[in-house]
Amino acid sequence: MNYQKYDKVFLILPMQRNRQSRGQGQNTSAQDLLTDQRYMNDKDPSLLCREDLERATETLRSGGLILYPTDTIWGIGCDATNEEAVRRIYDLKRRADAKSMLVLVADDWQIDALVDTPPEIAFDMMDMAIRPITIIFSGARGVAPSLLAEDGSLGIRRSREAFSQALCRRMRRPIVSTSANLSGDPTPMTFDAICEEIKQGVDYIVRYRQEDKSVAEPSQIIKLGPGAEVKVIRP
């Protein structure tokens, strides 16, 4: 194998293999979340997991906004194909739409659907990453226009976190993920740190992991050019 190093990111070129994950994804259900001990309540946890997923999914499908846990921090989310919902997030955060937002997916086939010929190295980087990694792809498609940067690129992260992954699979669409703060304010690292204006501005707040006080690392951000050129935005 041919190893190349770009700053703090190691790439392996080439890697030929059968990518089973490029299929249509797994069927993640509420039962899959029950092994997470952070999701405890005085009610039956299996019912709460199912209700949380169902209500979050219904909210997204109806064009609403949710506040939900991700593989990094709590995020504001919506159906990434719904332009009106995306603009509601910009308005809630008081953020200019020139600052594009990333989307979460659960499986590789969703990336194939969003990017014209994604470089194979992108999937290798995601497989090898030891912490969440957001990749900015050129030639993006299939999302609300205001999510795309001026050069037509889009930031995509394949989530490894249980709830957001299950939600993406239920939706079978990408979900917007942006920090749960007003533009210019510090990024809240736990649910308790999210301001009331943000909480009041969404249509559903996921209960899963609200009591979790652990602080996750921010994701790496890598930009891939049309020819798989690599630029490290955040190591």
Side-chain angles (χ1 to χ4, degrees):
M1 290 186 291
N2 177 24
Y3 287 80
Q4 296 184 20
K5 181 182 179 184
Y6 296 83
D7 292 340
K8 297 183 179 180
V9 180
F10 288 87
L11 310 184
I12 299 181
L13 302 172
M15 183 176 288
Q16 300 295 329
R17 59 186 171 187
N18 177 25
R19 298 190 56 83
Q20 295 181 351
S21 58
R22 299 288 281 277
Q24 292 298 300
Q26 303 171 29
N27 183 18
T28 304
S29 67
Q31 189 66 30
D32 297 318
L33 302 179
L34 298 184
T35 56
D36 193 331
Q37 295 301 311
R38 292 171 295 190
Y39 196 68
M40 299 302 294
N41 199 288
D42 56 350
K43 297 182 181 179
D44 181 349
S46 64
L47 296 178
L48 287 174
C49 289
R50 188 177 300 112
E51 181 184 356
D52 238 0
L53 282 170
E54 288 177 352
R55 293 190 63 182
T57 303
E58 289 171 2
T59 301
L60 294 175
R61 287 177 176 165
S62 65
L65 309 187
I66 64 170
L67 191 57
Y68 71 118
T70 74
D71 50 348
T72 56
I73 56 177
W74 277 76
I76 305 171
C78 73
D79 176 355
T81 69
N82 187 321
E83 177 69 18
E84 183 178 350
V86 170
R87 291 203 171 274
R88 279 189 61 197
I89 293 183
Y90 282 120
D91 291 343
L92 175 60
K93 288 176 64 72
R94 305 176 193 167
R95 177 175 177 171
D97 58 10
K99 297 181 178 179
S100 54
M101 299 181 289
L102 66 90
V103 303
L104 293 186
V105 300
D107 300 291
D108 292 350
W109 71 266
Q110 294 178 303
I111 298 175
D112 288 324
L114 294 174
V115 180
D116 294 327
T117 318
E120 188 69 19
I121 190 62
F123 300 102
D124 296 333
M125 292 170 69
M126 288 184 284
D127 290 343
M128 296 169 59
I130 59 175
R131 76 177 214 253
I133 180 170
T134 300
I135 298 181
I136 301 174
F137 291 90
S138 300
R141 64 191 180 198
V143 295
S146 60
L147 285 176
L148 300 177
E150 291 184 358
D151 62 358
S153 62
L154 175 69
I156 303 174
R157 188 165 73 245
R158 190 182 66 190
S159 178
R160 297 178 181 175
E161 187 271 338
F163 189 90
S164 54
Q165 191 178 74
L167 193 59
C168 287
R169 286 178 176 150
R170 278 177 170 245
M171 284 291 292
R172 301 186 69 79
R173 296 180 182 180
I175 299 173
V176 169
S177 178
T178 183
S179 56
N181 62 303
L182 302 176
S183 183
D185 286 356
T187 299
M189 304 307 292
T190 62
F191 177 79
D192 290 342
I194 300 171
C195 73
E196 283 302 314
E197 183 172 349
I198 293 293
K199 292 178 181 178
Q200 293 296 323
V202 302
D203 302 295
Y204 182 67
I205 299 176
V206 171
R207 286 170 290 173
Y208 179 64
R209 288 181 56 195
Q210 285 190 15
E211 303 303 319
D212 185 4
K213 307 301 182 185
S214 60
V215 177
E217 288 187 277
S219 75
Q220 294 176 290
I221 302 178
I222 308 297
K223 185 169 185 177
L224 289 181
E229 306 89 354
V230 176
K231 180 179 181 181
V232 180
I233 306 297
R234 183 167 65 200

